[in-house]
Amino acid sequence: TPPPLIAACQLIKMFDENWNALTLNELATFTAGRKVRFTVGGTTNNGTFDKARFTINGTLRAEVTNKRPNTDEYFDEFTIPTGTTTFSVNAQLHHSTLGWF
């Protein structure tokens, strides 16, 4: 029998518009109108990931298929709204066989 299909999401990362990695302290200095790029990648022993979706501050955003340059990490570009000073970010990947996880 074939081995079980294994897939996992990896760490969510943050970048500015020029793909410079951001720390939480740096993100805390961003004000309304600034853009942040959140990325997520994953690993699997079979099949592929074809898209991702992010939930930012409780709002499920549109699916994304764009990838961070030279990586397999999907990204969503988020413009910080007025009055937002904290962030809660979750991400899901879509696997060709397993679906969303």
Side-chain angles (χ1 to χ4, degrees):
T1 62
L5 181 56
I6 300 169
C9 275
Q10 294 177 322
L11 186 66
I12 296 171
K13 300 175 189 173
M14 305 171 295
F15 298 87
D16 67 13
E17 292 178 86
N18 297 314
W19 292 112
N20 296 306
L22 296 173
T23 66
L24 289 175
N25 287 340
E26 289 168 330
L27 180 59
T29 68
F30 279 33
T31 55
R34 287 286 306 265
K35 293 183 181 182
V36 180
R37 292 176 175 168
F38 295 104
T39 68
V40 67
T43 58
T44 183
N45 66 343
N46 195 350
T48 58
F49 299 111
D50 55 3
K51 56 188 170 182
R53 63 185 179 192
F54 291 79
T55 300
I56 302 175
N57 291 345
T59 300
L60 179 62
R61 294 173 51 84
E63 297 171 3
V64 294
T65 56
N66 292 331
K67 292 183 180 179
R68 181 176 149 214
N70 305 311
T71 74
D72 283 327
E73 297 173 358
Y74 291 95
F75 80 91
D76 190 358
E77 187 170 271
F78 179 74
T79 302
I80 299 173
T82 300
T84 299
T85 58
T86 61
F87 298 89
S88 170
V89 181
N90 291 301
Q92 293 179 296
L93 288 168
H94 188 268
H95 186 274
S96 57
T97 303
L98 299 174
W100 290 106
F101 69 97

